């Protein structure tokens, strides 16, 4: 199964530095991020500015099954 990032990232028009697992990669805009395909489900951990770029840090989504197939929140006993 493959995953993509939130399509709303296409609204970022400035250069983007994407940090995934400590590795930085530069892209011309947020539109390039929406074309990326990942093997794991990532969510945005933080968005910051660095000089004239937007720095986006991703983390692995540890809350994968929070909604059941009927749309209710999953029960969590922790």
């Amino acid at each position: 199964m493959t995953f993509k990032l939130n399509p709303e990232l296409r609204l970022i028009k400035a250069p983007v530095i994407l940090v995934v697992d400590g590795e930085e990669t530069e892209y011309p805009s947020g539109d390039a991020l929406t074309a990326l395909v990942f093997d794991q489900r990532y969510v945005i951990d933080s968005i910051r500015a660095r000089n004239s770029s937007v720095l986006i840090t991703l983390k692995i989504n540890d809350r994968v099954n929070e909604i059941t197939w009927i749309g209710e929140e999953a029960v969590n006993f922790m």
Side-chain angles (χ1 to χ4, degrees), residues 2-44:
T2 59
F3 303 95
K4 291 192 170 194
L5 296 176
N6 188 324
E8 297 302 317
L9 291 172
R10 75 188 187 306
L11 299 174
I12 299 173
K13 304 301 180 193
V16 176
I17 300 170
L18 186 66
V19 180
V20 181
D21 299 326
E23 185 177 324
E24 294 186 4
T25 311
E26 295 186 33
Y27 297 93
S29 67
D31 195 38
L33 297 179
T34 61
L36 297 176
V37 177
F38 297 95
D39 292 332
Q40 297 183 23
R41 186 182 305 248
Y42 286 100
V43 293
I44 297 173

